[in-house]
Amino acid sequence: MTHPQPVEPPVEPPVEPPVEPPVEPPVEPPVEPSVAQPVVIDCDPGIDDAVALLLAFASPELDVTGITTVAGNVGIGQVVDNALRLCDLIGVDAEVPVVRGHAGPIARAVRIPDEPVHGEGGLGGVHLPPSARTPHPSHAVAWLAAQLRDRGPAGTTVIATAPLTNIAALLHAHPEATSSIKEIVLMGGAAFAPGNVTPSAEFNFFADPEAARFVTEAGVPLRIVGLDVTRKALTTRADIDELLADGAPATAAAGRMLDHLATRYEQRHGVAACAVHDALAVAATVRPDLIEWTDAWVTVECGGEFSRGKLIADVHGRTGLPHNAKVATGVDTDAFRAFLVSRLLRHYGADAHEPLR
């Protein structure tokens, strides 16, 4: 007798797990104009000022509402002309004014000579086409006062990369402006490092020590980016070569200017790199985390035979006076280099991801 074979239940085909859609890498959201920080840049182009301007306009976190100028690296006429040509180079909106400021220090009759490191025309011999733009008809101090008044309380950050004559004149003539300034981020001074004009003084503070002293003691929130950090955050030959290799008008111009500066730096210091002082002040405004900040009471020496223009920073409370500034004492050099070069290439390069503003 045969027994029937048991019937195996049908085998269900394995159920494939649902296919998850691919996960897109996180994308940094664009900075909307409504949340960009309004800034005014007071400058004296100058190579490092020129690169600072390029960096500021390549940073969507900043809404640059105007460029005020003051004599410094070169005379005021050349400074204004350079600023206008740079605006053309990077396509700055015509609504952003370039405003002429003081031609020299107020407290002294004589301006110190042009800073030779910046070369012919102040831009390292880089010749930009003449601009059809014209400077704003107001004086920088009057324009700044009106701009700050219109923006309201704590509405504007001032990035100052030049002698502080315009800013001191503003705060002296319009003391009410202090309430409209969110903070001043300035490039100047050497708190704990040697100077670059005298053994103790940095160029911007030495050019107008009385103005620098007035600003440091004016009671405005203040961040000071001086030689203590700018000499550490060197732009290398490799960085410069990357800009030159890109070949777009703005990146190539920046590369040629920095090449001139690096050549001078190598001749003097034996290092194949250069300090782009003013660009670090702009970077510190956008990315304060790049900097190590130390609270201090600060002032500027105006009378010393060998210390005129010296930034004095009391970090240990020896004076008993309250802190009135944050002084840059450390910097993430690699992060700054990457920030500077990537921003310039991304915004102005041959494969630019963002339209020129």
Side-chain angles (χ1 to χ4, degrees), residues 43-121:
C43 59
D44 59 337
I47 293 172
D48 53 334
D49 296 82
V51 177
L53 286 171
L54 267 62
L55 180 59
F57 282 101
S59 296
E61 299 89 347
L62 304 180
D63 175 17
V64 182
T65 61
I67 300 166
T68 55
T69 59
V70 63
N73 291 320
V74 289
I76 188 62
Q78 188 70 66
V79 161
V80 172
D81 188 56
N82 287 348
L84 294 169
R85 293 177 187 232
L86 287 162
C87 286
D88 282 353
L89 174 69
I90 59 176
V92 172
D93 193 297
E95 294 300 311
V96 178
V98 171
V99 195
R100 183 186 179 106
H102 280 286
I106 297 173
R108 291 184 294 157
V110 179
R111 185 179 76 85
I112 66 173
D114 292 356
E115 175 51 58
V117 72
H118 294 275
E120 181 189 352

Side-chain angles (χ1 to χ4, degrees), residues 125-185:
V126 174
H127 298 285
L128 301 176
S131 176
R133 301 173 190 240
T134 56
H136 192 279
S138 297
H139 188 277
V141 174
W143 183 87
L144 281 165
Q147 175 77 5
L148 293 169
R149 182 175 58 249
D150 292 345
R151 287 284 176 179
T156 300
T157 293
V158 176
I159 303 175
T161 62
L164 290 167
T165 313
N166 287 340
I167 308 305
L170 167 73
L171 298 177
H172 183 266
H174 303 276
E176 73 282 358
T178 58
S179 64
S180 298
I181 297 174
K182 180 180 178 181
E183 67 175 346
I184 298 174
V185 182

Side-chain angles (χ1 to χ4, degrees), residues 183-198:
E183 67 175 346
I184 298 174
V185 182
L186 66 86
M187 189 281 131
F192 310 109
N196 62 355
V197 177
T198 72

